[in-house]
Amino acid sequence: MHVGVLIKKIRKERDMTLVELAKKSGVALATLSRVENGRMTGTLESHMSICKAFDITLPELYKYLPSSKKAVEVLEKAAKHEVFVHDKRSSSEILVSNVQKKKMMPMLIKIAKGGQSAPEKTKSGVERFVYVLEGKVEAAIGDNNYNLSKGDTLYFESSVPHNFKNTGSAEAQVLALTSPPGL
């Protein structure tokens, strides 16, 4: 079922004509017709206007849309993960498959004593969240350094040059989430 079918169903339940919905929502009659007939999906703005005309929220409209993506993915410990070795003292392991089809990229960064991750810089608009699982890490974000220990978190715009250095006496492990994914 696509969004147009839902819009048409709600419109019919409310005994509204297409013309009435067009007037009440401000969305062009031709656009509404195309959306309802599956020839176009419409824009987020048009969906919001339609929802306002129906006196419902956007999530209420979307909650019945089927997801075309697999909602749950379980990877066993033995599953093959993509691992990027920065050098013999650090690596990053991507924790999901088909990362380019996901909305975020979870990674486990492992840094041996005295090691550091490779410098990174993503395109603008990409964000990163890190959580220190084990050890002590110095996060260099642009011109600033942040000393993090087990349980500490950091959230930043990853288009700023950054890397992580192990400042502890044992291996450091950092869980990093990047959204949207980018390699």
Side-chain angles (χ1 to χ4, degrees):
M1 179 184 303
H2 58 81
V3 72
V5 172
L6 288 173
I7 291 171
K8 187 174 188 174
K9 180 179 181 280
I10 295 169
R11 180 178 61 79
K12 296 267 187 192
E13 287 172 354
R14 294 167 192 255
D15 293 321
M16 290 178 90
T17 66
L18 208 51
V19 172
E20 290 170 328
L21 180 56
K23 286 181 183 173
K24 195 169 181 182
S25 68
V27 177
L29 180 64
T31 299
L32 285 172
S33 177
R34 288 184 189 108
V35 168
E36 283 192 0
N37 291 304
R39 288 183 275 167
M40 67 184 289
T41 57
T43 63
L44 180 59
E45 185 178 300
S46 67
H47 293 185
M48 290 172 29
S49 296
I50 292 165
C51 286
K52 189 173 180 181
F54 287 152
D55 196 30
I56 62 171
T57 65
L58 203 54
E60 287 174 303
L61 175 65
Y62 290 164
K63 74 179 176 184
Y64 296 107
L65 290 176
S67 174
S68 61
K69 297 179 182 175
K70 187 176 178 181
V72 176
E73 177 181 302
V74 176
L75 288 179
E76 302 293 330
K77 280 196 283 187
K80 295 282 185 194
H81 294 250
E82 287 187 62
V83 178
F84 298 91
V85 178
H86 303 287
D87 60 31
K88 53 185 167 179
R89 290 188 175 179
S90 68
S91 65
S92 297
E93 180 178 342
I94 297 177
L95 301 175
V96 295
S97 64
N98 299 315
V99 71
Q100 295 297 359
K101 295 182 181 180
K102 306 286 195 279
K103 293 181 182 174
M104 67 176 157
M105 180 173 62
M107 294 177 23
L108 178 61
I109 301 170
K110 295 179 182 178
I111 308 170
K113 178 182 174 184
Q116 65 181 11
S117 66
E120 293 182 71
K121 179 181 175 184
T122 65
K123 65 182 180 180
S124 183
V126 177
E127 298 174 335
R128 179 168 276 183
F129 169 83
V130 296
Y131 176 78
V132 180
L133 296 167
E134 294 292 334
K136 293 183 178 186
V137 175
E138 179 183 87
I141 315 293
D143 295 329
N144 298 307
N145 292 330
Y146 303 91
N147 291 307
L148 307 171
S149 298
K150 181 178 179 176
D152 289 344
T153 64
L154 184 66
Y155 187 92
F156 60 96
E157 169 74 32
S158 65
S159 63
V160 176
H162 60 279
N163 77 313
F164 306 99
K165 179 180 179 181
N166 184 339
T167 57
S169 58
E171 180 182 77
Q173 293 187 5
V174 177
L175 176 65
L177 299 174
T178 305
S179 181
L183 296 174

